[in-house]
Amino acid sequence: MRKLILDTETSGLDPENDRIIELACLELIDDLPTEKRFHKYYNPGDILISNEAEKIHGLNNNFLRKFPTFDESIDEFIEFLDDSKIIAHNAQFDISMINASFKRKGREKISDEKSICTLEMAKKKFPGSKNNLNALCRRFNISLVDREKHGALTDCYLLLRVYTELTGGKQGSLTLTERGAKKQVDFKLPKKIEPIFVEVSEEEEKSHNLMLKKITKSLWF
């Protein structure tokens, strides 16, 4: 299944009156990242980016005036999006900004079923805790050295690692994929498995338990 890690930067928080000024996507196939990505800057048109917003993402009208607007470039994004699911942190906001543009251009809106919100995932997993992107990166020991400002592409790479942790980390379910192919190979156990008993020495048991203690988030505990 194809999914896209997505993040936007905007001129403000109002989907009707503000505009997308940066958008980035990273492609996942069966939850594994590929080398394909989408990253564009956009002119907000007549919308003035406030000083407060510029402090967050570092983007201003003077820098963005050489780029087309998102509305003008919407077909390019739709082609990359295709029929993929979107993974975003606070997906409701990003989708509402995109859908506002789709509405202005007479395009079909992205449905809620097409989005996966990592913020909602984190709230369920860590209720009562801070679950913004910075907090989750610190929780999962993900470096924030490159995040001086909120940038859509940088945040996509951070969100990719956060999403991986939220869905089981590096010890996720065992699947094999053929390189360059979209086919996923599932290994299914037979319905009935006859038990096999193997005697182990006391020393072997101690070594095994010591190994398990060294594994972070071990599935055997």
Side-chain angles (χ1 to χ4, degrees), residues 30 32 167-177 184-189 219-220:
D30 298 327
L32 296 176
T167 54
K170 295 179 180 179
Q171 294 189 71
S173 58
L174 177 62
T175 58
L176 296 181
T177 56
Q184 177 174 302
V185 182
D186 295 316
F187 287 86
K188 296 181 180 180
L189 294 175
L219 297 178
W220 288 277

Side-chain angles (χ1 to χ4, degrees), residues 87-168:
I87 302 166
H89 204 65
N90 192 11
Q92 183 179 6
F93 174 73
D94 294 287
I95 299 301
S96 68
M97 292 296 299
I98 294 170
N99 278 341
S101 180
F102 281 16
K103 181 181 178 181
R104 287 191 294 270
K105 301 300 289 186
R107 301 297 198 275
E108 184 179 352
K109 292 183 179 181
I110 299 171
S111 65
D112 293 339
E113 292 75 21
K114 283 290 184 181
S115 67
I116 298 171
C117 183
T118 49
L119 177 59
E120 293 303 319
M121 291 173 65
K123 285 180 178 179
K124 291 178 181 178
K125 194 165 188 176
F126 309 114
S129 301
K130 283 187 176 181
N131 288 305
N132 58 43
L133 190 56
N134 274 2
L136 290 171
C137 285
R138 287 190 288 268
R139 177 183 288 277
F140 295 128
N141 295 318
I142 299 169
S143 174
L144 289 166
V145 171
D146 295 329
R147 202 192 192 213
E148 296 179 5
K149 298 283 186 181
H150 286 227
L153 187 58
T154 297
D155 287 0
C156 276
Y157 280 109
L158 293 175
L159 186 57
L160 169 60
R161 298 187 63 186
V162 167
Y163 175 71
T164 300
E165 294 293 340
L166 289 173
T167 54

Side-chain angles (χ1 to χ4, degrees), residues 165 168-172 208-221:
E165 294 293 340
K170 295 179 180 179
Q171 294 189 71
H208 177 70
N209 290 333
L210 182 61
M211 178 195 70
L212 292 181
K213 290 180 181 179
K214 294 180 179 180
I215 299 176
T216 305
K217 300 179 184 177
S218 171
L219 297 178
W220 288 277
F221 282 137

